[in-house]
Amino acid sequence: MNRIFFCFVSLLLFAYNVSAAENEKLPIGVIARFDDHGAGLPFDKAMESGVSVIQLKVPVAANRTEENVKKILDALKKHKVRLVCVVSGFAGESYKTIPTVKETVGLAPEKTRKARFEEFKDVSDFAKRLGAPSIQFHLGAVPHDTASKEYKDVVQITRDACDYVFENGQSLNLETGQETGAALLQFIRDVNRLNLHVNFDPANMILYGCGDPIEALRIVGRFVRSTHCKDARWAKQPGKEWGEEVLFGTGDVNAPLFLETLCSFGYDGPLIIERENRESPEQQYNDVLKTIEYLKQLK
Ligand code: MG
């Protein structure tokens, strides 16, 4: 009898812990990378950092194995970390300059679109095996002329992407930065899919020179489902050259106002720290730890 009672109480506590973790308001997280591809902290470092959620940069195709799925799920369970999304990306993307981003990033470039869409589907299937509820990525530069065939083609591929991930029980989060707030809102309306959302990265608006991030957030705020806590300083010639990425809270984003504006939309989703500095892994990790403390104070 005692054993049955103990099992019952354990089950209740387990259910309470799971739902408490899922219901945590504004959980602090980081981007983690399982292999050496893409931005983010190495997976093991991310697990050690003390965060409660992560976005996982997708491993390259050869590493999307059952064995690695198990490794990732085991580590998440062990460290009580929740996976909120898988971040997609494609071979051949270059973030070297703003023009190369336009030419090479995402599903927008026509030359690589078809092949990349096949890879995108594989990423969504991989994310499903991990139980991730959403896929996030840089769609690429959306053509400005909304009446053009090029624009309509990008709208259509985004619909196709939304429909595919929907079948896997996922939403699609567009990372901001390459469009103004108004252009992004128009694009979301034109795609017209309920599972299309926004991962708002305020630093990208500054880095790409696409307008004041707070103003943009006010325009697309109701579509935001996750955010990158990243900061930057404006370039001398915004839109022509990169701004400079800096520690969150020390740049031109105005971090307190950013979070206040986000919360004015009733946002209680993840606050994902993104620190791209990979020249010095130690500094990157220390900056993430500093930002965790900073966000705890702001919360
Ligand atoms: Mg970002």
Side-chain angles (χ1 to χ4, degrees):
M1 184 64 190
N2 276 348
R3 184 178 288 181
I4 292 171
F5 179 72
F6 176 76
C7 286
F8 179 68
V9 171
S10 300
L11 257 177
L12 273 181
L13 281 173
F14 175 74
Y16 174 79
N17 281 334
V18 167
S19 91
E22 285 187 358
N23 291 333
E24 183 188 356
K25 306 255 188 241
L26 301 171
I28 297 171
V30 288
I31 303 177
R33 58 186 161 88
F34 187 73
D35 54 23
D36 203 28
H37 295 84
L41 285 185
F43 187 74
D44 292 344
K45 281 288 197 189
M47 292 296 104
E48 288 167 15
S49 66
V51 295
S52 52
V53 293
I54 60 160
Q55 293 184 340
L56 181 72
K57 179 76 180 83
V58 71
V60 292
N63 289 333
R64 293 175 210 151
T65 61
E66 277 309 318
E67 192 190 348
N68 286 339
V69 166
K70 187 176 180 316
K71 269 189 200 168
I72 293 166
L73 290 175
D74 287 349
L76 292 171
K77 193 174 169 189
K78 181 180 165 195
H79 293 275
K80 297 188 173 64
V81 173
R82 184 162 55 93
L83 175 63
V84 292
C85 88
V86 167
V87 182
S88 183
F90 305 100
E93 292 183 326
S94 169
Y95 288 85
K96 204 171 172 193
T97 63
I98 293 176
T100 61
V101 169
K102 285 184 181 160
E103 282 164 29
T104 66
V105 168
L107 290 177
E110 205 267 331
K111 252 193 305 187
T112 46
R113 190 179 298 147
K114 206 173 163 200
R116 284 184 175 178
F117 189 60
E118 291 308 306
E119 171 143 30
F120 175 85
K121 292 194 277 188
D122 192 58
V123 171
S124 172
D125 294 347
F126 175 74
K128 186 184 180 185
R129 283 146 68 194
L130 292 169
S134 63
I135 304 291
Q136 174 187 306
F137 75 155
H138 280 283
L139 173 66
V142 175
H144 291 165
D145 179 1
T146 56
S148 67
K149 179 185 180 301
E150 289 75 20
Y151 178 84
K152 286 173 185 165
D153 286 348
V154 175
V155 166
Q156 187 56 50
I157 195 70
T158 309
R159 282 181 188 149
D160 294 344
C162 286
D163 294 345
Y164 191 88
V165 304
F166 180 80
E167 292 299 321
N168 278 338
Q170 297 156 347
S171 61
L172 182 64
N173 293 346
L174 299 177
E175 176 134 5
T176 54
Q178 287 144 14
E179 277 70 44
T180 62
L184 184 60
L185 179 64
Q186 175 73 47
F187 181 74
I188 291 169
R189 284 179 172 156
D190 289 340
V191 173
N192 195 23
R193 289 293 187 272
L194 288 175
N195 64 334
L196 182 63
H197 304 308
V198 168
N199 177 83
F200 199 95
D201 185 326
N204 280 354
M205 305 296 300
I206 292 172
L207 290 168
Y208 286 89
C210 275
D212 178 68
I214 308 288
E215 277 175 29
L217 179 59
R218 286 183 182 130
I219 293 171
V220 297
R222 65 186 181 280
F223 294 100
V224 175
R225 293 297 182 278
S226 64
T227 185
H228 282 169
C229 294
K230 189 170 87 178
D231 213 332
R233 292 200 187 103
W234 289 99
K236 281 194 183 118
Q237 300 184 82
K240 291 194 175 137
E241 56 187 15
W242 284 126
E244 182 199 1
E245 195 225 337
V246 295
L247 182 70
F248 189 66
T250 67
D252 293 330
V253 162
N254 190 345
L257 181 61
F258 171 67
L259 290 185
E260 195 185 311
T261 309
L262 197 57
C263 291
S264 72
F265 287 95
Y267 181 84
D268 60 7
L271 304 175
I272 302 291
I273 298 162
E274 183 178 12
R275 187 71 172 119
E276 290 182 354
N277 177 359
R278 284 183 65 187
E279 285 81 40
S280 163
E282 271 181 23
Q283 191 196 336
Q284 184 194 31
Y285 187 62
N286 288 337
D287 284 354
V288 167
L289 296 183
K290 274 187 208 165
T291 308
I292 290 173
E293 291 311 309
Y294 179 65
L295 284 172
K296 281 180 182 169
Q297 286 170 26
L298 283 183
K299 269 171 78 176

